[in-house]
């Protein structure tokens, strides 16, 4: 399995299927956008933002869904898989829009976030009221549109799946509810002065890990009629890879290169994000190190010197090394789960590459 520095792009693993997902996303959003445009020309900026947002992204969740279906069939793409993969991407976009708003992030993928875009539009046009409140309100609406449109596509996937449809719908519903529950836990954790490793693990598991890998795999495999044994093995593999993905995200959130990640590296510190990286640092910190974390975590005005101080604590406490070791453990456990699955060579190789993309990515 490739180590840090490996550049695996989900789109490259199945170009034809991913092109079908892209085409469906574009056509679906264009169709819904026409309904918005019928209301009036004022909806134009909203449509433009949605068109731009849906055309980007790694398509990681779509890739796991497609390969979950193929892993269960030995290589064939079942009815409903493309629709389910596209639904996952719209669901992810909804989560990003709302998460950026809650985190007060100004940049995503090197571009202004939705709430920042519309706050800036408001200010530039000299409109009445508070630009920040306006941008926040529009972001809620954009996220809601993506969420409802994702459910439309999920319904299409279920309808095309025949007998497997009800079970696939149950996977989708469980994923949706768990993500929102995880998001709530994340918001709640920010209100607490001290981090908890156990809570941090629950947040990363339900807010991100499961819906990034485990549930997309389960959705695809369920559409393909996978047996319980295969579903269980894929779930174990998917949870391990998903947790590795989120731990890497937490590391990049403090130590990443903004030119590569597309996000300011100080955002997680300003937000006071209670990640496992932070929780382990607090556990091992000296009184002085703990005081430094207390000063800077959650400070919206923290500067580069404050960020450097937080980084120093994360390194010197051993927390960063501990997280890196945990990522390696998770990747190893995922490889062991993968070895037990009766897969064709193409599916096994693709899932192995996707695991690497999650664990060792730089963005």
């Amino acid at each position: 399995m490739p180590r840090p520095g490996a550049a695996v792009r989900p789109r490259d693993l199945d170009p034809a299927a991913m092109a079908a997902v892209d085409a469906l996303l574009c056509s679906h959003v264009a169709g819904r956008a026409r309904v918005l445009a019928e209301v009036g020309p004022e909806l134009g900026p909203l449509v433009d933002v949605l068109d731009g947002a849906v055309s980007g992204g790694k398509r990681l969740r779509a890739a796991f869904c497609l390969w979950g279906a193929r892993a269960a069939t030995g290589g064939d793409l079942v009815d409903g898989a493309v629709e389910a993969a596209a639904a996952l991407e719209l669901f992810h976009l909804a989560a990003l829009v709302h998460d950026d708003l809650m985190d007060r992030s100004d940049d995503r993928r090197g571009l202004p976030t939705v709430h920042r875009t519309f706050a800036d539009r408001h200010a530039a046009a000299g409109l009445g009221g508070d630009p920040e409140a306006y941008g926040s309100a529009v972001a809620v609406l954009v996220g809601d549109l993506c969420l409802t449109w994702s459910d439309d596509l999920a319904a299409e996937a279920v309808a095309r799946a025949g007998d497997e449809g009800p079970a696939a719908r149950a996977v989708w519903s469980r994923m949706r509810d768990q993500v929102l529950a995880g998001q709530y836990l994340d918001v709640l954790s920010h209100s607490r002065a001290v981090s908890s490793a156990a809570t941090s693990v629950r947040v990363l598991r339900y807010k991100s890990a499961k819906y990034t890998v485990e549930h997309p795999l389960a959705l695809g495999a369920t559409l393909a009629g996978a047996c319980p044994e295969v579903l269980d093995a894929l779930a174990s593999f998917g949870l391990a890879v998903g947790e590795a993905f989120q731990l890497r995200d937490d590391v990049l959130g403090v130590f990443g290169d903004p030119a590569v990640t597309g996000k300011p590296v100080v955002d997680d510190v300003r937000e006071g994000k209670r990640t496992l990286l932070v929780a382990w640092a607090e556990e091992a910190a000296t009184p002085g190190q703990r005081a430094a974390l207390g000063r800077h975590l959650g400070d919206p005005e923290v500067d580069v010197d404050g960020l450097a101080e937080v980084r120093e604590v994360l390194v010197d406490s051993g927390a960063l090394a501990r997280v890196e070791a945990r990522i390696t453990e998770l990747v190893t456990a995922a490889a062991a789960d993968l070895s037990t699955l009766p897969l064709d060579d193409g599916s096994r190789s693709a899932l192995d590459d996707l695991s690497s993309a999650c664990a060792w990515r730089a963005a």
Side-chain angles (χ1 to χ4, degrees):
M1 183 170 292
R3 297 290 296 176
V8 179
R9 299 195 311 170
R11 288 178 180 275
D12 294 340
L13 297 176
D14 194 347
M18 208 62 74
V21 172
D22 286 342
L24 179 58
L25 275 170
C26 290
S27 65
H28 186 74
V29 171
R32 306 314 302 164
R34 283 193 290 271
V35 176
L36 298 179
E38 290 170 1
V39 175
E42 299 90 343
L43 277 295
L46 209 67
V47 170
D48 290 342
V49 165
L50 286 162
D51 282 341
V54 80
S55 64
K58 302 179 185 72
R59 301 286 188 258
L60 184 64
R61 290 152 191 84
F64 275 115
C65 179
L66 295 172
W67 284 107
R70 286 185 160 158
T73 62
D76 295 329
L77 197 59
V78 298
D79 288 341
V82 169
E83 287 79 6
L88 286 164
E89 291 298 317
L90 270 178
F91 181 87
H92 178 52
L93 181 55
L96 290 182
V97 172
H98 285 162
D99 195 49
D100 285 340
L101 174 59
M102 286 184 274
D103 292 350
R104 295 175 293 179
S105 297
D106 289 335
D107 296 286
R108 165 74 64 178
R109 298 171 183 164
L111 298 171
T113 51
V114 172
H115 65 275
R116 173 51 45 211
T117 294
F118 282 94
D120 291 347
R121 281 179 176 272
H122 182 288
L127 301 178
D130 180 7
E132 300 301 319
Y134 175 80
S136 297
V138 176
V140 170
L141 296 174
V142 170
D144 286 351
L145 281 170
C146 293
L147 186 61
T148 55
W149 294 349
S150 74
D151 218 48
D152 290 342
L153 280 171
E156 288 185 30
V158 167
R160 288 175 59 84
D163 291 343
E164 312 301 337
R169 183 72 209 192
V171 173
W172 176 266
S173 296
R174 184 176 182 82
M175 176 199 73
R176 183 185 54 201
D177 294 349
Q178 287 188 349
V179 170
L180 296 177
Q183 186 68 271
Y184 171 75
L185 290 177
D186 190 32
V187 171
L188 180 62
S189 72
H190 296 167
S191 68
R192 294 171 172 163
V194 179
S195 303
S196 159
T199 297
S200 297
V201 170
R202 277 204 300 156
V203 170
L204 77 86
R205 182 169 291 176
Y206 289 103
K207 179 186 172 183
S208 178
K210 283 178 169 284
Y211 107 91
T212 298
V213 185
E214 180 186 345
H215 285 134
L217 277 173
L219 186 58
T222 301
L223 286 167
C227 66
E229 292 76 16
V230 169
L231 289 172
D232 287 346
L234 285 174
S236 181
F237 166 83
L239 184 58
V241 174
E243 290 191 11
F245 171 91
Q246 185 54 48
L247 289 176
R248 176 59 60 205
D249 202 60
D250 295 341
V251 171
L252 292 173
V254 184
F255 294 96
D257 179 356
V260 178
T261 63
K263 288 191 67 176
V265 76
V266 76
D267 273 9
D268 282 5
V269 175
R270 286 177 175 166
E271 181 194 344
K273 189 169 286 187
R274 298 292 169 174
T275 63
L276 189 58
L277 178 63
V278 169
W280 279 345
E282 287 180 342
E283 284 180 4
T286 65
Q289 290 173 329
R290 197 170 292 114
L293 291 176
R295 280 195 306 273
H296 300 304
L297 287 173
D299 176 8
E301 304 300 324
V302 70
D303 56 15
V304 291
D305 292 332
L307 174 63
E309 198 170 348
V310 170
R311 284 173 165 173
E312 185 177 356
V313 174
L314 296 177
V315 173
D316 292 349
S317 67
L320 178 61
R322 190 175 176 186
V323 167
E324 291 289 357
R326 179 57 180 158
I327 290 172
T328 300
E329 288 174 5
L330 289 165
V331 172
T332 301
D337 288 324
L338 196 59
S339 71
T340 69
L341 284 162
L343 302 178
D344 62 285
D345 290 342
S347 296
R348 190 181 306 280
S349 177
L351 290 175
D352 184 60
D353 285 345
L354 285 168
S355 176
S356 296
C358 287
W360 310 125
R361 74 193 196 282

